[in-house]
């Protein structure tokens, strides 16, 4: 995904425990030996993704270094074991996408959650939408979960794994840039879109 790859360098916010601006500022220093809430945050995300298999301690030791290297390897990043800008940005974007997936589709089956994550990536790739994950997620009225506050619920590990699978290429939505629940949708315009797939309660469309 060429357009998505460019967006890794463009994210501007990190959510939940601290702001992305704070983590970006300190990114060069977040490596083996670092301590603090930034490390705890990264450990918590890596844990939900299955890379960090112990409790978050706030200390960046050998276990965290190896977890970061495994994360970097899976996403074709340089395996430094430290948190440079590209690794930091990707962790940030995964976290944002997991909040959308959980807020929008936590009651859906796993393929349906992956499909929601894929829609975000498909929008980043599309010329009809913003070209960064942050701007897609927070585009006005783009996602109900952002509007009604469910975005700010804490995602479970399933949401993070769904995002990971979408980033690694699984797209159950078949390239869709929209999804909706036909029972709940009130905007007649959405029914004019071409449906590519129904997964659980959602229709996926372009």
């Amino acid at each position: 995904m060429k357009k998505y790859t460019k967006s890794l360098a463009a994210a501007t916010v990190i959510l939940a425990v601290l702001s992305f601006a704070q983590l970006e500022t300190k990114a060069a220093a977040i490596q083996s030996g670092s301590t603090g809430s930034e490390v705890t945050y990264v450990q918590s995300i890596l844990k939900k993704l299955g890379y960090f298999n112990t409790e978050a301690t706030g200390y960046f030791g050998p276990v965290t270094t190896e977890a970061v290297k495994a994360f970097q390897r899976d996403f074709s990043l340089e395996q430094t074991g430290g948190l440079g800008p590209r690794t930091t940005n990707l962790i940030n974007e995964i976290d944002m996408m997991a909040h959308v997936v959980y807020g929008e589709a936590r009651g859906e089956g796993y393929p349906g959650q992956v499909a929601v994550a894929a829609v975000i990536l498909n929008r980043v790739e599309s010329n009809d939408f913003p070209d960064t994950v942050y701007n897609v997620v927070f585009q006005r009225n783009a996602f109900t979960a952002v509007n009604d506050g469910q975005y700010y619920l804490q995602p479970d590990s399933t949401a993070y794994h769904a995002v990971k699978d979408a980033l690694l290429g699984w797209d159950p939505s078949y390239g869709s840039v929209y999804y909706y629940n036909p029972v709940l949708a009130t905007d007649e315009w959405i029914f004019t879109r071409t449906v590519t797939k129904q997964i659980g309660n959602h229709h996926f469309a372009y």
Side-chain angles (χ1 to χ4, degrees):
M1 293 184 173
K2 295 179 181 178
K3 198 175 170 191
Y4 174 73
T5 300
K6 290 191 295 183
S7 80
L8 291 181
T12 58
V13 170
I14 213 163
L15 301 163
V17 179
L18 72 165
S19 72
F20 173 63
Q22 290 174 315
L23 186 54
E24 185 181 48
T25 299
K26 299 180 181 180
I30 300 178
Q31 56 191 344
S32 183
S34 296
T35 59
S37 59
E38 298 90 353
V39 178
T40 302
Y41 171 81
V42 170
Q43 290 172 333
S44 69
I45 302 301
L46 292 175
K47 183 178 178 69
K48 287 184 176 180
L49 287 167
Y51 294 103
F52 187 76
N53 298 314
T54 186
E55 295 303 314
T57 62
Y59 172 68
F60 203 129
V63 175
T64 305
T65 298
E66 291 306 311
V68 171
K69 284 183 178 179
F71 173 84
Q72 291 169 330
R73 180 179 63 249
D74 284 352
F75 289 98
S76 301
L77 300 172
E78 184 180 2
Q79 296 172 47
T80 64
L83 294 175
R86 286 177 61 81
T87 301
T88 299
N89 291 347
L90 182 54
I91 288 173
N92 170 46
E93 294 191 336
I94 288 172
D95 191 35
M96 281 190 285
M97 292 173 65
H99 277 79
V100 174
V101 170
Y102 189 75
E104 296 270 329
R106 61 185 178 277
E108 298 294 316
Y110 189 69
Q113 294 189 42
V114 177
V116 168
V119 165
I120 297 172
L121 297 178
N122 292 338
R123 288 188 178 190
V124 172
E125 288 292 307
S126 171
N127 291 329
D128 296 327
F129 294 90
D131 62 1
T132 70
V133 168
Y134 175 82
N135 287 333
V136 164
V137 168
F138 291 103
Q139 187 177 27
R140 185 178 179 184
N141 296 326
F143 295 99
T144 301
V146 174
N147 289 343
D148 67 14
Q150 292 189 72
Y151 173 87
Y152 299 99
L153 298 173
Q154 185 57 48
D156 58 16
S157 60
T158 301
Y160 285 91
H161 281 277
V163 172
K164 176 182 176 181
D165 278 341
L167 283 166
L168 293 178
W170 184 18
D171 183 2
S173 81
Y174 292 95
S176 296
V177 292
Y178 302 103
Y179 61 89
Y180 61 95
N181 185 325
V183 176
L184 301 177
T186 57
D187 187 345
E188 291 297 323
W189 175 86
I190 196 65
F191 293 102
T192 69
R193 312 313 299 175
T194 300
V195 174
T196 60
K197 183 79 172 180
Q198 179 174 354
I199 307 175
N201 293 314
H202 285 142
H203 284 183
F204 291 83
Y206 62 87

